[in-house]
């Protein structure tokens, strides 16, 4: 059956925020394809999630060359979804990808060199069956490639038309300032800075958010639910099949300490008093400051995606609630 998007997709509860000093607006919740869209996952479920996201005003889809597993398969599956269901809606979508982490064997399959970034983007475009992406990110500052080489590569990619905008991800404050200044000097200003942000990971509040705001750069936070910690999954310990229980998961067992569980329980009580789930409150909290342009959410099902979207029903906090959260997290 032909997919026909919800005609009211932009008139619902989704809100949009402008990316710094640009004309681009992002939905405050964006869909990330880091997990659950790879070759080991159910393609029909993945398709249903992308459709449901789009039907509810999420038009920003975030990928990277190594997303899977296997690496590259999330982009390949997303390309199939686009061709099958969204061929007439590409211009409504903001599609991003990244390169800079390990992708293939040998000296050119990792890092932030010109060779790696251009080769990676060419592969990504082929996998997604696209002529261009809307934003191409340097996925990390690797610490050994001269930063000017990486940044000039981003400039050249934009001027070649392979990306409409460029961004950086997980750059330290010093390198962030260098990146913003260099890109601006080449008339290819940085559109977005992406980094980890949640109640349990707040280091970007110290400098990164302020530097982005001062330079007119939007900020996109990933892992706003701390890999599932800020949900009701871990209220009673580590459940079987959870990310912390998997040997290959990014959330490690030693991160789920009794102290963390106690904080989760207290936060959950506050969320209940607000009429929300813990996940809904955690997303709302991370959006409390307008300097956060968007949060990247992941999902393993349409139902889970729906649960995250419910956060939009209550984004306001009283000063007392914010004080309580600060005391819990301290």
């Amino acid at each position: 059956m032909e997919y026909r998007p919800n005609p009211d997709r932009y008139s619902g509860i989704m809100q949009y925020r402008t990316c710094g000093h640009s004309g681009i607006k992002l939905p405050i919740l964006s869909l990330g394809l880091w997990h659950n869209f790879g070759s080991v996952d159910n393609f029909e479920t993945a398709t249903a999630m992308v459709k449901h996201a789009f039907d509810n005003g999420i038009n920003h889809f975030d990928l990277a060359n190594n997303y899977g597993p296997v690496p590259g398969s999330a982009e390949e599956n997303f390309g199939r979804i686009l061709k099958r269901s969204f061929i007439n809606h590409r211009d409504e979508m903001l599609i991003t990808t990244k390169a800079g982490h390990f992708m293939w064997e040998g000296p050119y399959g990792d890092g932030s060199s010109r060779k790696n970034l251009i080769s990676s983007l060419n592969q990504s475009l082929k996998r997604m069956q696209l002529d261009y992406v809307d934003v191409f990110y340097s996925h990390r500052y690797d610490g050994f490639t001269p930063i000017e080489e990486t940044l000039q590569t981003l400039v050249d990619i934009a001027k070649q038309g392979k990306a409409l905008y460029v961004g950086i991800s997980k750059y330290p404050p010093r390198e962030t300032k260098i990146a913003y200044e260099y890109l601006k000097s080449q008339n290819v200003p940085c559109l977005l800075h992406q980094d980890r942000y949640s109640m349990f990971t707040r280091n970007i509040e110290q400098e990164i958010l302020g530097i982005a705001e001062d330079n007119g750069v939007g900020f996109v936070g990933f892992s706003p639910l701390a890999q599932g910690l800020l949900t009701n999954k871990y209220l009673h310990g580590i459940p079987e099949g959870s990310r912390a229980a998997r040997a290959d998961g990014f959330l490690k067992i030693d991160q789920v300490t009794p102290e963390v569980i106690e904080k989760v329980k207290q936060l959950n009580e506050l969320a209940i008093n607000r009429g929300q789930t813990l996940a809904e409150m955690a997303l709302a909290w991370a959006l409390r400051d307008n300097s956060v342009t968007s949060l990247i959410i992941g999902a393993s099902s349409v139902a889970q995606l729906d649960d995250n979207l419910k956060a939009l029903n209550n984004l306001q906090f009283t000063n007392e609630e914010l004080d309580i959260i600060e005391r819990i997290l301290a």
Side-chain angles (χ1 to χ4, degrees):
M1 182 181 296
E2 181 185 357
Y3 166 59
R4 295 182 179 179
N6 172 18
D8 299 320
R9 55 192 175 276
Y10 299 118
S11 57
I13 60 174
M14 182 57 68
Q15 298 177 29
Y16 299 83
R17 291 179 180 174
T18 302
C19 297
H21 297 162
S22 78
I24 288 292
K25 294 182 178 181
L26 292 185
I28 57 175
L29 294 181
S30 303
L31 184 63
L33 283 75
W34 184 12
H35 304 290
N36 305 311
F37 290 85
S39 56
V40 301
D41 301 298
N42 185 287
F43 179 75
E44 297 307 323
T45 299
T47 301
M49 287 191 287
V50 173
K51 289 179 178 179
H52 191 71
F54 192 71
D55 281 341
N56 284 275
I58 295 179
N59 56 358
H60 173 208
F61 299 92
D62 182 79
L63 298 103
N65 61 342
N66 61 342
Y67 288 178
V70 295
S73 59
E75 288 183 329
E76 188 173 346
N77 280 340
F78 187 66
R80 291 171 61 198
I81 294 169
L82 288 176
K83 188 172 183 179
R84 198 183 275 190
S85 303
F86 292 93
I87 195 165
N88 295 319
H89 300 278
R90 168 65 180 98
D91 292 337
E92 291 183 57
M93 294 179 158
L94 194 135
I95 299 168
T96 70
T97 195
K98 320 175 195 71
H101 284 291
F102 178 78
M103 187 60 185
W104 63 86
E105 297 295 336
Y108 314 125
D110 194 8
S112 304
S113 69
R114 181 179 183 86
K115 169 72 170 173
N116 177 267
L117 296 185
I118 290 179
S119 298
S120 290
L121 178 55
N122 287 340
Q123 292 175 22
S124 292
L125 293 174
K126 186 175 181 180
R127 282 191 290 265
M128 291 189 284
Q129 304 178 64
L130 294 174
D131 296 322
Y132 69 94
V133 290
D134 295 286
V135 184
F136 180 66
Y137 288 93
S138 168
H139 207 166
R140 63 171 176 139
Y141 170 67
D142 65 16
F144 59 86
T145 303
I147 192 169
E148 294 80 8
E149 176 180 342
T150 301
L151 298 173
Q152 185 59 44
T153 303
L154 295 181
V155 170
D156 293 342
I157 282 170
K159 291 185 175 180
Q160 290 167 6
K162 292 181 179 180
L164 303 186
Y165 302 89
V166 299
I168 59 175
S169 177
K170 306 191 299 270
Y171 271 49
R174 176 180 173 274
E175 285 69 29
T176 291
K177 292 177 182 178
I178 293 172
Y180 291 169
E181 291 171 4
Y182 187 97
L183 293 170
K184 186 177 180 180
S185 74
Q186 300 300 308
N187 297 314
V188 182
C190 184
L191 181 73
L192 290 169
H193 190 139
Q194 189 175 131
D195 212 328
R196 193 182 302 270
Y197 186 47
S198 74
M199 286 179 167
F200 288 156
T201 308
R202 302 178 60 179
N203 54 299
I204 57 106
E205 293 176 353
Q206 297 171 12
E207 294 185 74
I208 293 297
L209 277 182
I211 298 170
E213 193 164 17
D214 290 345
N215 285 271
V217 177
F219 178 83
V220 176
F222 67 86
S223 295
L225 299 181
Q227 293 290 305
L229 262 182
L230 290 166
T231 68
N232 59 11
K233 288 180 184 177
Y234 297 94
L235 290 173
H236 307 290
I238 301 174
E240 185 178 347
S242 65
R243 287 183 181 176
R246 298 204 306 260
D248 60 347
F250 284 88
L251 180 64
K252 306 303 181 186
I253 289 179
D254 58 9
Q255 294 175 260
V256 191
T257 64
E259 292 79 14
V260 169
I261 294 297
E262 181 56 34
K263 290 181 180 182
V264 169
K265 288 180 178 179
Q266 293 180 41
L267 291 169
N268 187 59
E269 290 178 10
L270 177 60
I272 291 171
N273 291 335
R274 282 171 49 84
Q276 291 182 305
T277 65
L278 174 54
E280 290 168 24
M281 185 181 79
L283 292 173
W285 178 89
L287 287 165
R288 73 198 185 284
D289 188 333
N290 280 332
S291 60
V292 175
T293 312
S294 184
L295 297 176
I296 295 173
I297 56 174
S300 59
S301 66
V302 169
Q304 191 178 63
L305 180 57
D306 248 350
D307 287 343
N308 288 337
L309 286 166
K310 289 175 184 175
L312 303 177
N313 292 321
N314 183 9
L315 294 172
Q316 304 304 314
F317 290 87
T318 66
N319 289 333
E320 181 183 7
E321 288 172 333
L322 292 173
D323 287 343
I324 292 171
I325 290 172
E326 290 298 331
R327 288 199 296 271
I328 293 171
L329 296 177

